Amino acid sequence: MDEAKILEKNYGVWGNMRKKFMHTYREAEWELMLDAEKLDGYLTDFNEEYQAESETLLASALERNGITEELKAKDPMAWIQGYNMAKEDVKELLQKQIEEADDLEEPKEETEEFEDLGPEFLPDAKDRLA
């Protein structure tokens, strides 16, 4: 599948999130997977994996917080509120998980590497010119 079709394709919430991240921040990885014709399958699998994880976490959160079918029958508004809060918490948790796994560290400038060591380790410009 070519790049234009992949960019247009809807991979679901998690697959689209990963697609956007890779296309923006992981260009080399994007190109390698695209050239190997593995990008489409990867994004599909990524969405399925995170969707399953989302459903598992949501069910656990609902049970833990007493958001049950019984509550749904007794107080639909409380159930909706509890469900939406649990769903948003799960989404935030998984987004954070994805971001931490792909945390981009800004490259340090050459002098920043030595600043922690103190001024005695920074070469003097006069010595470099001599």
Side-chain angles (χ1 to χ4, degrees):
M1 183 178 290
D2 69 359
E3 185 173 34
K5 288 180 182 176
I6 288 175
L7 289 171
E8 289 176 13
K9 185 175 176 180
N10 182 358
Y11 289 95
V13 172
W14 306 108
N16 288 339
M17 186 183 304
R18 184 66 180 168
K19 174 177 65 173
K20 182 178 179 182
F21 178 84
M22 286 182 66
H23 190 254
T24 305
Y25 298 107
R26 298 278 196 246
E27 294 172 20
E29 186 179 2
W30 174 274
E31 289 298 325
L32 286 172
M33 293 180 83
L34 185 63
D35 291 345
E37 298 182 5
K38 294 185 178 190
L39 189 55
D40 181 59
Y42 170 78
L43 293 171
T44 300
D45 293 346
F46 187 90
N47 187 68
E48 290 173 4
E49 178 183 330
Y50 270 81
Q51 185 61 38
E53 181 70 12
S54 172
E55 291 169 6
T56 300
L57 290 172
L58 180 59
S60 176
L62 292 174
E63 182 179 331
R64 186 174 56 251
N65 293 314
I67 312 301
T68 62
E69 290 298 315
E70 185 178 316
L71 177 64
K72 187 177 182 180
K74 285 183 181 178
D75 189 351
M77 292 305 291
W79 183 87
I80 290 170
Q81 182 181 14
Y83 180 87
N84 287 338
M85 288 175 59
K87 188 175 178 180
E88 187 61 32
D89 288 347
V90 167
K91 184 177 179 181
E92 287 176 16
L93 176 71
L94 290 177
Q95 282 177 325
K96 186 176 180 182
Q97 197 176 70
I98 291 169
E99 290 168 6
E100 287 176 357
D102 289 321
D103 193 16
L104 295 176
E105 184 176 310
E106 291 294 322
K108 291 184 173 183
E109 290 188 27
E110 189 174 322
T111 56
E112 288 180 323
E113 294 176 28
F114 299 105
E115 285 176 356
D116 294 336
L117 300 174
E120 64 273 8
F121 290 97
L122 288 173
D124 190 329
K126 291 179 192 173
D127 293 339
R128 286 186 278 163
L129 295 174

